[in-house]
């Protein structure tokens, strides 16, 4: 019931922001996602006995999409550079030379890159000519992919896909998920997206594979820290990272592939 209630409340808001909102409104939505996602990741690090500069990483992570919205590579490069320099500076000011120095610095930087930088590709997509349509496109592909992978695995799953990382996932489920992603791409192509048929199918395949890799990557992190969910911020759905794990890899793949296709035209 909690899962249904949270979906009924959140989904209309998300769709309204995407469809009616401007880039600034979409940025605010992504900042909420990034804040919660980074908080969950850094909490897992801390719970696993690994150090990190949690609030430094969160603040710098929130600045990265803002720099992208400003439309200047200078701003983006500046904040990515600061994301590397500031954790080192903090460690130096602490005068701490203990053996976990590299852990503090690398975990902080990793969090910003894994959550903030990858999520920011959704903003990059939103800022393109077909931005709104492409956001709905990637959501449809990943949602159908996740759904068909889940039910396909339950019905036909026999061979484990990655038993040490995510024991519940099967090869049959992954194939079903990829078929679902392709179907999502085709639905989008015929309903609202101006893609030719081969391009839609290829995009569905690429984004579908990337989404499954993103899912497995987050499972790898959770398995390392022996946690079932990244958090509990969304009733019935687990944590924020559990909801966006597929998009973390799918968004960059869609953005760069679309840019590559546009470059060839």
């Amino acid at each position: 019931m909690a899962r249904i209630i949270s979906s009924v409340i959140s989904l209309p808001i998300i769709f309204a922001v995407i469809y009616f909102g401007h880039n600034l409104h979409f940025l605010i939505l992504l900042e909420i996602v990034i804040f919660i996602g980074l908080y969950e990741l850094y909490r897992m690090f801390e719970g696993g006995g690994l150090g990190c500069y949690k609030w430094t990483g969160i603040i710098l992570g929130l600045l990265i999409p803002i720099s992208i919205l400003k439309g200047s590579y200078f701003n983006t490069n500046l904040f990515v550079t600061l994301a590397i320099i500031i954790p080192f500076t903090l460690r130096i000011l602490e005068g701490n030379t203990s053996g976990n120095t590299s852990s503090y610095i690398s975990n902080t930087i990793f969090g910003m890159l894994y959550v903030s930088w990858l999520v920011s590709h959704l903003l990059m997509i939103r800022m393109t000519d077909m931005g709104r349509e492409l956001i709905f496109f990637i959501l449809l592909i990943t949602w159908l992919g996740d759904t068909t992978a889940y039910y396909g695995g339950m019905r036909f799953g026999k061979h484990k896909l990655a038993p040490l990382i995510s024991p519940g996932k099967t090869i049959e489920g992954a194939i079903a998920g990829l078929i679902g992603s392709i179907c999502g791409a085709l639905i989008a192509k015929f309903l609202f997206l101006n893609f030719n048929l081969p391009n839609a199918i290829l995009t569905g395949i690429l984004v579908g594979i990337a989404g499954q890799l993103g899912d497995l990557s987050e499972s790898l992190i959770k398995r390392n820290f022996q946690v079932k969910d990244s958090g509990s911020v969304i009733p019935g759905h687990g944590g924020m990272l559990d909801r966006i794990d597929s998009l973390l890899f799918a968004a960059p793949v869609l953005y760069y592939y679309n840019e590559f296709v546009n470059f060839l035209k």
Side-chain angles (χ1 to χ4, degrees):
M1 180 60 69
R3 186 183 184 95
I4 296 174
I5 293 174
S6 60
S7 297
V8 169
I9 295 174
S10 61
L11 288 179
I13 297 174
I14 294 172
F15 277 87
V17 171
I18 296 172
Y19 190 82
F20 297 107
H22 300 292
N23 289 339
L24 178 60
H25 305 119
F26 191 67
L27 169 67
I28 294 172
L29 177 64
L30 290 187
E31 292 284 44
I32 295 172
V33 171
I34 290 171
F35 176 85
I36 299 174
L38 279 172
Y39 186 82
E40 289 177 350
L41 182 64
Y42 288 143
R43 281 292 299 272
M44 280 194 284
F45 285 158
E46 292 175 337
L50 300 179
C52 64
Y53 293 108
K54 179 171 63 182
W55 293 109
T56 300
I58 290 175
I59 292 171
L60 287 173
L62 291 173
L63 291 175
I64 291 176
I66 294 175
S67 69
I68 292 172
L69 184 64
K70 298 295 290 183
S72 169
Y73 284 105
F74 168 79
N75 290 333
T76 304
N77 291 339
L78 171 64
F79 286 120
V80 172
T81 302
L82 290 176
I84 298 173
I85 293 176
I86 289 180
F88 275 98
T89 303
L90 290 175
R91 202 64 175 172
I92 292 170
L93 292 176
E94 290 176 352
N96 194 328
T97 59
S98 62
N100 63 354
T101 292
S102 60
S103 174
Y104 265 79
I105 296 171
S106 60
N107 290 337
T108 305
I109 295 172
F110 170 76
M112 287 182 276
L113 293 177
Y114 177 67
V115 179
S116 183
W117 176 244
L118 294 183
V119 169
S120 293
H121 285 80
L122 289 170
L123 180 61
M124 298 180 199
I125 293 172
R126 183 65 175 81
M127 292 169 63
T128 61
D129 292 337
M130 296 190 300
R132 183 176 63 181
E133 291 81 3
L134 287 174
I135 292 297
F136 283 121
F137 180 58
I138 192 173
L139 292 178
L140 183 59
I141 290 176
T142 54
W143 176 75
L144 268 180
D146 288 345
T147 302
T148 52
Y150 176 75
Y151 287 106
M154 287 183 59
R155 177 65 178 84
F156 303 106
K158 294 181 179 179
H159 303 88
K160 298 295 184 182
L161 177 65
L164 297 180
I165 298 174
S166 186
K169 290 183 172 59
T170 63
I171 295 175
E172 293 81 4
I175 294 172
L178 187 58
I179 294 173
S181 295
I182 296 171
C183 290
L186 292 175
I187 291 171
K189 180 260 185 295
F190 288 113
L191 290 183
F192 60 83
L193 194 63
N194 185 26
F195 272 17
N196 60 50
L197 186 59
N199 191 24
I201 293 174
L202 179 57
T203 307
I205 293 172
L206 293 175
V207 174
I209 292 174
Q212 293 193 34
L213 288 174
D215 190 338
L216 285 169
S217 297
E218 200 236 350
S219 295
L220 182 64
I221 294 173
K222 292 190 297 183
R223 179 67 56 179
N224 184 68
F225 295 111
Q226 298 297 306
V227 297
K228 181 179 182 294
D229 297 320
S230 64
S232 57
V233 68
I234 309 174
H237 290 271
M240 182 63 73
L241 289 178
D242 298 321
R243 293 300 91 208
I244 66 168
D245 52 7
S246 297
L247 290 171
L248 290 176
F249 283 18
V253 167
L254 176 59
Y255 175 75
Y256 293 116
Y257 172 74
N258 191 55
E259 290 294 296
F260 176 73
V261 170
N262 289 334
F263 173 77
L264 294 179
K265 289 182 179 178

